[in-house]
Amino acid sequence: MTGDARDDGLTRIAFRPPVEADHRRLVDVVDHWFGRPVRARLGRMWFEHFTGTSLVGETLDPRSADPDLPRVVAFLVGFASPDRPGDAVIHLAAIAPEWRRRGFGTAIHERWLRDRAADGAVRASVVIPPDERVAYLFYRSLGFEPVTAGSRPLWGVPAFADHEGDGADRAILTRGIAAPS
Ligand SMILES: CC(C)(COP(=O)(O)OP(=O)(O)OC[C@H]1O[C@@H](n2cnc3c(N)ncnc32)[C@H](O)[C@@H]1OP(=O)(O)O)[C@@H](O)C(=O)NCCC(=O)NCCS
């Protein structure tokens, strides 16, 4: 297995485009991975129509009963904006809780950003609830900046009240993507 993350045996990860069978696997665990109900946002369509702009990450767990069986421990579903050429959009991304803080989140995003740059994207964005502190700090660590124009501070973060409907405040984070050299 090859991978982009820190390579200390327990932390190798390999990426591939999702297949439809990944949907059932992930929709059953995604609420647990997020710690809130998001499964309605992970429709099967992402695994049917957006596989070219999405990734799953697999790793081997030498501690498990079946150490040769790759496990899906990461996903990122996204798309190239049809209306805003050059914009790559992250819809949902997560790492299995027991595999966090090993660089997997960084690795899957960096791989996705490289792939999108190769497709011609120049900018990436993600929309998150402003009270999701870990997600905010994570995207800041990747160089994403919050959109401030028209925002107001919510939970200490520049955000947009009721952005996705009543009570659904959101922060929008963006970063440029360098063209591959
Ligand atoms: C956000 C998430 C993807 C991060 O995945 P991860 O594999 O743990 O991230 P990494 O190990 O690559 O962390 C990179 C950096 O992000 C920041 N970070 C990650 N988790 C953090 C935490 N719990 N607290 C503070 N900072 C954190 C740190 O700066 C970290 O660098 P460091 O480990 O050198 O300090 C993961 O926590 C997750 O799946 N959360 C639930 C789903 C979610 O919020 N998705 C994003 C919105 S779509």
Side-chain angles (χ1 to χ4, degrees):
M1 175 172 281
T2 58
D4 301 356
R6 297 162 201 165
D7 182 3
D8 64 4
L10 270 183
T11 57
R12 301 184 81 174
I13 188 163
F15 301 114
R16 61 169 172 78
V19 295
E20 281 191 57
D22 291 315
H23 175 254
R24 174 46 69 97
R25 193 175 290 139
L26 286 165
V27 81
D28 284 346
V29 297
V30 71
D31 287 355
H32 172 57
W33 287 18
F34 271 76
R36 59 188 167 94
V38 295
R39 63 179 290 154
R41 299 186 61 209
L42 194 68
R44 190 173 172 122
M45 59 173 245
W46 292 101
F47 299 79
E48 295 173 325
H49 301 290
F50 294 89
T51 59
T53 51
S54 301
L55 290 169
V56 296
E58 292 179 312
T59 194
L60 299 175
D61 186 352
R63 302 162 302 187
S64 78
D66 199 347
D68 298 323
L69 183 73
R71 292 154 187 276
V72 173
V73 296
F75 76 89
L76 190 166
V77 289
F79 61 96
S81 171
D83 290 352
R84 299 180 190 174
D87 276 20
V89 181
I90 297 164
H91 175 64
L92 279 181
I95 306 300
E98 63 275 27
W99 293 93
R100 290 184 187 160
R101 296 310 285 269
R102 298 162 187 267
F104 283 5
T106 300
I108 195 169
H109 281 77
E110 286 182 344
R111 164 67 186 270
W112 187 84
L113 290 164
R114 279 202 303 277
D115 290 352
R116 301 290 67 78
D119 291 346
V122 294
R123 203 173 77 121
S125 66
V126 64
V127 176
I128 61 169
D131 57 340
E132 290 289 338
R133 192 77 193 149
V134 169
Y136 183 77
L137 292 172
F138 170 72
Y139 283 109
R140 297 286 287 125
S141 82
L142 288 179
F144 283 74
E145 303 272 356
V147 172
T148 54
S151 73
R152 66 172 164 150
L154 296 169
W155 303 87
V157 170
F160 300 85
D162 303 327
H163 186 72
E164 304 250 9
D166 277 354
D169 305 337
R170 295 291 183 265
I172 304 169
L173 294 103
T174 67
R175 60 161 270 184
I177 310 178
S181 48

